[in-house]
Amino acid sequence: MTELLDYEFMRRALLAAVLVGLVTPVIGTYLVQRRLALLGDGIGHVALTGVALGLLTSTSPVLTAAVVATLGAVLIELVRVRTRTSGDVALALLFYGGIAGGVLLIGLTPGASSATLVSYLFGSVSTVEESDLWVVGVLAAGVAAVVAVFGRELFVLCQDEEVARAHGLPVRFLSVLLAVTAALTVVIAMRVVGVLMVSALMIVPVAAAQQLTKSFRVTMLLAVVIGLLSSVGGLTTSFYAELSPGATIVVLALAVFCVSVAVGGAMRRLSGRRPPATHQPVGDGVAGTMPQTDRGRV
């Protein structure tokens, strides 16, 4: 481990991996509860357009990706709410439009080609600059602030939109806020795992944690631990084994999920309980209280 820290680019990469491991499962917990597990993939493709725009204008690709991904997240909510387009079709539009925009803009960039996007598609820790870390750090702080301020409201929204509306919560604002926060999370993680695999790091640790917990809050905390261990462990393994960092991180997270399924199943057999359903209707939704769900209280 000390040998790994001798390299400046690996020190930057480790710091980025820590931020990714801490932030992505937090937002992923809300997305899983709202059945928007693929939202990260759609936003990731839009972020590619932002990366290409940054390369074309000779500005920070991470910063432009954050701006474009945020606009894409707002757009998908507007398309979903104000048109007859369903959520999955809106996500498909993001998929196609994002990747096409990225390839088109990179073709207009002098001296660049589609191969230039590879480091952003699959992650490249060796290219993480100090300026990238500052942008990622600010974005991570912003995501943490959103969760700290609106965490309980987002919990209610993700359990049942009608209950959230009955509680007088601003459902449309919270929906857009969650989408924008997910967009920023994608940008935070894309330099480490790449936009094609960032959604996996948002979702897989949460799915693993759900095998072992019932409470929403405990699920989130355990998912953060799994995400952090996967990010740092995968990056360290890739350094010594000379493997792709993004792929190694995701495979390690999937391995933890497999172990969690086995351990969770054994625990339920020993206790004589049946596994809880992933989603069930919320509780009575009495004003002034948070609803009881299959994942427990927030």
Side-chain angles (χ1 to χ4, degrees), residues 2-292:
T2 55
E3 179 185 352
L4 183 146
L5 296 176
D6 291 337
Y7 299 91
E8 184 178 356
F9 79 93
M10 285 305 299
R11 291 197 295 270
R12 293 196 298 266
L14 278 173
L15 181 56
V18 169
L19 292 174
V20 168
L22 289 174
V23 173
T24 51
V26 173
I27 301 304
T29 306
Y30 290 107
L31 296 182
V32 169
Q33 291 300 108
R34 208 179 183 200
R35 303 178 187 177
L36 290 175
L38 293 179
L39 181 63
D41 275 329
I43 294 176
H45 284 71
V46 174
L48 277 181
T49 300
V51 169
L53 182 62
L55 295 173
L56 178 63
T57 58
S58 299
T59 55
S60 170
V62 176
L63 188 58
T64 53
V67 174
V68 174
T70 298
L71 293 176
V74 174
L75 179 62
I76 190 175
E77 279 299 315
L78 293 177
V79 170
R80 186 179 67 87
V81 173
R82 298 195 176 187
T83 70
R84 296 182 178 179
T85 306
S86 61
D88 58 340
V89 174
L91 280 175
L93 294 176
L94 280 182
F95 269 73
Y96 307 142
I99 195 70
V103 174
L104 181 64
L105 290 178
I106 202 67
L108 297 175
T109 304
S113 66
S114 298
T116 309
L117 293 177
V118 170
S119 64
Y120 292 92
L121 286 170
F122 302 102
S124 178
V125 295
S126 62
T127 60
V128 176
E129 302 291 341
E130 186 175 350
S131 59
D132 293 332
L133 281 180
W134 278 106
V135 175
V136 169
V138 170
L139 294 178
V143 171
V146 168
V147 174
V149 175
F150 297 100
R152 292 178 66 83
E153 290 80 3
L154 291 174
F155 168 78
V156 180
L157 173 73
C158 293
Q159 298 305 313
D160 194 301
E161 193 170 299
E162 294 303 320
V163 171
R165 189 173 284 109
H167 276 71
L169 298 179
V171 170
R172 183 167 299 180
F173 166 76
L174 291 173
S175 298
V176 172
L177 181 65
L178 179 60
V180 169
T181 307
L184 297 180
T185 304
V186 168
V187 175
I188 291 170
M190 72 177 184
R191 300 299 281 129
V192 176
V193 296
V195 295
L196 292 184
M197 290 182 284
V198 63
S199 186
L201 198 56
M202 296 172 71
I203 303 305
V204 175
V206 180
Q210 284 183 330
Q211 307 303 313
L212 305 172
T213 64
K214 292 189 297 179
S215 164
F216 180 88
R217 182 174 297 173
V218 176
T219 296
M220 180 182 291
L221 291 175
L222 182 57
V224 168
V225 172
I226 295 173
L228 184 59
L229 292 177
S230 298
S231 296
V232 176
L235 182 61
T236 304
T237 302
S238 68
F239 174 79
Y240 289 106
E242 298 183 0
L243 300 172
S244 169
T248 306
I249 290 171
V250 173
V251 168
L252 183 57
L254 288 170
V256 174
F257 171 77
C258 293
V259 173
S260 298
V261 170
V263 173
M267 292 171 58
R268 287 188 291 270
R269 284 193 297 271
L270 289 175
S271 61
R273 293 187 291 108
R274 297 178 62 185
T278 304
H279 294 278
Q280 293 179 358
V282 296
D284 54 13
V286 178
T289 64
M290 288 297 168
Q292 179 73 26

